[in-house]
Amino acid sequence: MDIHLIAAARPNFMKVAPLFHELNNRSGLNPKIIHTGQHYDLNMSDVFFQDFSLPEPHIHLGVGSGTHAQQTGNVMIAYEKVLMAEEPSLVIVVGDVNSTLAATLAAVKLGIPVAHLEAGLRSFDRSMPEEINRLVTDKLADFLWTPSPDGNENLENEGTEASKISFVGNIMIDAFELVKEKICKLDMPSQFNLSGRPYGLVTLHRPSNVDDPETLSLLCRTLTEISADLPLIFPVHPRTKAQLEKYGLWTNPADAPGIRLTGPLGYKQFMNLVMNARVLVTDSGGVQEETTYLGIPCLTLRDNTERPVTITLGTNRLCRIGDLKDAVADILNGKYKKGGIPELWDGRTAVRIGDLLENRIKHKG
Ligand code: UD1
Ligand code: UDP
């Protein structure tokens, strides 16, 4: 059974990796990685193939950056040709990026079944491009694999047939467990002269935080103030880098002496920094989950989250920029939720998916 795994942007590679390895180890399943090229810098793409010992993509569509319609349309046009030539039995899409939606649209129109891993998540905020991608992908996909029971509830509330939905757990935890030993062997804080010292780790890339110059400049001022008490390490996403340059913010390292600005890091390096951090300040979806799993306090600079279990069960808290300084101070004073690990965030999501697919093959006879 030929299965296409769609990989496009940074948060996709760690979701595809455990699935690729699990399916590749099972007879009768033949996974192939299709890279759309949405992310293409070495440290936004290739580094993850090395981190997770993935083979070169079977096919690289080389689509690159663009407006939403350009990116979505270009992936559809390029991937449709591949689908017609290869006729896979199943396409697996992950997450909520533009390529997730584009690959789904191209496949379902050719009658090829699609499975969505990380289905059912909803921020209920349609100003986020990801929410549109999630809604349309889930409406079209044939198999909806959810990471948490809220995903099942959202899908049921939207009238999705129950037979399409399976609660499989969180694949991000599989990714972490796959390379945990190697992560633990690193000492990344020492590379920032912070070995054995408390520090905070920052990642920001949402348009709502980094595209508006007033918001971005308030963020820079707030983080600079916090870094007077707590050194911060900030691996800067390319979107954010472009915006900082555009608005002339932090152009001189002396502007923010307590902040270690660096480029995007590989997964193992980044997760070693997460494990040793006192607090994460983020707007990333994946980081909210990783900190919940590891019990590290996380302050999410957003008005909402499509991952509510990280708040109800985990260590995550939504925070406004104006409240960030106090929220960090609380954490440094030991005032934070200790949290628990959500159901089926156990590193066995890929195995459950492999079992589902094998049963399907047996059933079809
Ligand atoms: C995309 C996803 C977002 C996800 C994020 C993860 C959509 C709508 N957005 O946002 O959901 O959370 O990836 O990181 O799919 N760029 C580079 N090099 C790269 C990639 C991008 O320089 O390798 C720059 C380009 O200037 C590009 C900009 O970053 O225009 C934004 O890239 P894009 O993929 O459109 O959106 P992200 O903000 O990365
Ligand atoms: N990540 C990484 N290097 C970094 C920043 C993040 O490897 O410098 C990882 C992080 O551990 C998480 C994933 O990238 O697994 C999240 O990707 P991102 O924040 O870009 O996307 P989102 O999850 O918000 O869609």
Side-chain angles (χ1 to χ4, degrees):
M1 179 182 185
D2 278 359
I3 300 174
H4 282 186
L5 296 176
I6 307 298
R10 179 166 71 185
N12 297 161
F13 304 119
M14 59 285 292
K15 294 171 192 172
V16 159
L19 205 46
F20 175 83
H21 290 303
E22 178 64 31
L23 303 188
N24 202 37
N25 282 337
R26 297 193 180 220
S27 61
L29 300 179
N30 183 24
K32 294 176 173 180
I33 297 176
I34 311 295
H35 193 327
T36 70
Q38 178 168 344
H39 283 177
Y40 41 85
D41 290 344
L42 291 179
N43 56 8
M44 293 295 287
S45 170
D46 300 35
V47 68
F48 301 104
F49 283 77
Q50 290 155 20
D51 275 335
F52 290 102
S53 310
L54 286 171
E56 289 282 306
H58 172 63
I59 290 174
H60 200 300
L61 304 177
V63 163
S65 303
T67 65
H68 287 280
Q70 282 168 347
Q71 206 169 48
T72 310
N74 288 339
V75 172
M76 284 183 72
I77 293 165
Y79 188 45
E80 184 183 57
K81 291 193 188 104
V82 172
L83 285 167
M84 290 195 291
E86 297 229 333
E87 298 180 348
S89 303
L90 178 69
V91 173
I92 300 180
V93 297
V94 300
D96 53 20
V97 302
N98 284 343
S99 304
T100 308
L101 167 63
T104 302
L105 274 166
V108 294
K109 288 211 166 185
L110 291 173
I112 297 172
V114 173
H116 183 205
L117 175 55
E118 211 180 80
L121 298 187
R122 298 288 181 268
S123 65
F124 302 101
D125 174 1
R126 291 200 186 186
S127 71
M128 290 182 73
E130 295 83 0
E131 184 73 354
I132 311 291
N133 295 341
R134 292 181 202 116
L135 281 163
V136 182
T137 300
D138 285 346
K139 203 72 195 165
L140 298 178
D142 302 86
F143 306 104
L144 298 164
W145 295 333
T146 64
S148 43
D150 55 285
N152 294 52
E153 267 168 49
N154 292 332
L155 292 168
E156 283 158 18
N157 290 342
E158 287 167 14
T160 311
E161 279 166 57
S163 61
K164 288 185 172 182
I165 310 169
S166 305
F167 173 30
V168 294
N170 191 339
I171 196 76
M172 292 294 278
I173 310 308
D174 290 41
F176 177 76
E177 289 295 330
L178 203 58
V179 289
K180 181 178 172 179
E181 258 179 54
K182 290 179 182 158
I183 293 170
C184 291
K185 281 189 186 141
L186 300 175
D187 177 14
M188 284 300 292
S190 68
Q191 300 212 5
F192 297 91
N193 291 326
L194 289 169
S195 201
R197 288 172 58 196
Y199 65 87
L201 181 61
V202 181
T203 80
L204 295 167
H205 70 276
R206 296 275 160 225
S208 60
N209 281 324
V210 307
D211 282 6
D212 169 53
E214 275 180 29
T215 308
L216 186 60
S217 133
L218 174 63
L219 262 171
C220 288
R221 280 201 306 279
T222 307
L223 292 172
T224 304
E225 281 173 30
I226 291 169
S227 71
D229 296 321
L230 179 72
L232 297 176
I233 303 174
F234 187 171
V236 182
H237 186 283
R239 172 188 284 275
T240 310
K241 181 170 186 274
Q243 297 302 101
L244 288 170
E245 282 166 5
K246 182 171 169 189
Y247 299 118
L249 294 161
W250 281 342
T251 44
N252 182 348
D255 295 343
I259 304 186
R260 274 74 161 169
L261 294 173
T262 180
L265 297 169
Y267 179 81
K268 288 185 283 197
Q269 296 171 305
F270 181 76
M271 289 309 298
N272 181 265
L273 288 176
V274 173
M275 291 182 82
N276 289 294
R278 288 295 296 274
V279 56
L280 263 284
V281 175
T282 195
D283 56 16
S284 158
V287 172
Q288 294 174 60
E289 299 177 334
E290 289 157 344
T291 46
T292 275
Y293 184 61
L294 295 170
I296 312 276
C298 180
L299 297 171
T300 297
L301 289 175
R302 285 178 46 186
D303 295 335
N304 49 58
T305 179
E306 60 289 329
R307 293 164 161 88
V309 286
T310 61
I311 294 178
T312 51
L313 282 173
T315 52
N316 189 20
R317 174 180 156 191
L318 298 181
C319 187
R320 289 178 196 281
I321 303 171
D323 299 328
L324 186 61
K325 232 180 129 178
D326 288 345
V328 170
D330 279 352
I331 289 167
L332 291 181
N333 290 323
K335 280 192 250 162
Y336 61 89
K337 210 170 22 127
K338 302 298 178 276
I341 298 178
E343 193 185 350
L344 300 193
W345 290 30
D346 58 0
R348 296 189 56 77
T349 292
V351 171
R352 282 186 282 274
I353 291 173
D355 290 347
L356 280 175
L357 295 178
E358 274 187 356
N359 284 340
R360 190 173 133 77
I361 293 172
K362 276 187 211 141
H363 193 68
K364 279 185 136 184

